Amino acid sequence: MAQKILAQKITDDFLKDLFPPQRTDAFFDALFGGAEEGAYTIVLKPRTESETAVEVAMELHQRPGKCLMCSLTYGLPAVFKRHPIINAKGIASAIAEKMGWADYSWDIGQTHEEGPQLHWLPLRVVAK
């Protein structure tokens, strides 16, 4: 059942509309004064979905010629929770709205390493 709901509600296209590729560049421009300084591109991907919870991966894809391992991705949960360009609260709100949840909570978990070129952070939205 979870996969059926996922295919209907929280899709790659929905998440790409919520967080288009240009937002990563805007994030690094705000942090470093230039998007070319960023070591990764942020891509939202659906992971799990049920009637009461959704988890989305905030994937960090290494950019060519950059070092994802050197970019201190373990401090990102606190940064992503507060940064206005990332707007995790807005992403969570849009997911909750799409799921039909008026009352919900959200959080970003710790960074996971899939390998030297891909890390991800779980963004969880839970109906109350």
Side-chain angles (χ1 to χ4, degrees):
M1 174 109 168
Q3 289 299 328
K4 183 177 178 186
I5 294 170
L6 180 64
Q8 293 175 0
K9 297 212 176 181
I10 308 303
T11 64
D12 284 328
D13 287 340
F14 171 75
L15 294 172
K16 187 175 181 180
D17 287 344
L18 277 180
F19 200 96
Q22 308 87 292
R23 257 174 70 198
T24 299
D25 288 342
F27 174 68
F28 285 120
D29 190 45
L31 285 179
F32 302 127
E36 66 281 352
E37 297 299 320
Y40 50 84
T41 299
I42 304 166
V43 178
L44 300 183
K45 290 289 185 179
R47 288 191 51 87
T48 61
E49 182 176 326
S50 71
E51 292 181 17
T52 59
V54 170
E55 182 175 282
V56 170
M58 301 178 88
E59 293 184 347
L60 313 175
H61 295 261
Q62 180 178 307
R63 289 182 170 179
K66 300 293 183 178
C67 178
L68 184 59
M69 300 297 287
C70 304
S71 67
L72 304 173
T73 63
Y74 286 93
L76 288 177
V79 173
F80 281 11
K81 285 179 189 177
R82 295 186 317 266
H83 203 284
I85 292 173
I86 299 298
N87 190 18
K89 182 178 182 178
I91 293 168
S93 175
I95 289 170
E97 182 178 329
K98 183 83 167 175
M99 296 300 292
W101 304 333
D103 194 14
Y104 64 94
S105 63
W106 67 275
D107 195 24
I108 297 176
Q110 293 303 307
T111 304
H112 299 267
E113 288 184 41
E114 290 293 319
Q117 297 178 337
L118 175 65
H119 294 182
W120 65 276
L121 295 80
L123 170 64
R124 294 180 194 96
V125 184
V126 180
K128 291 185 178 181

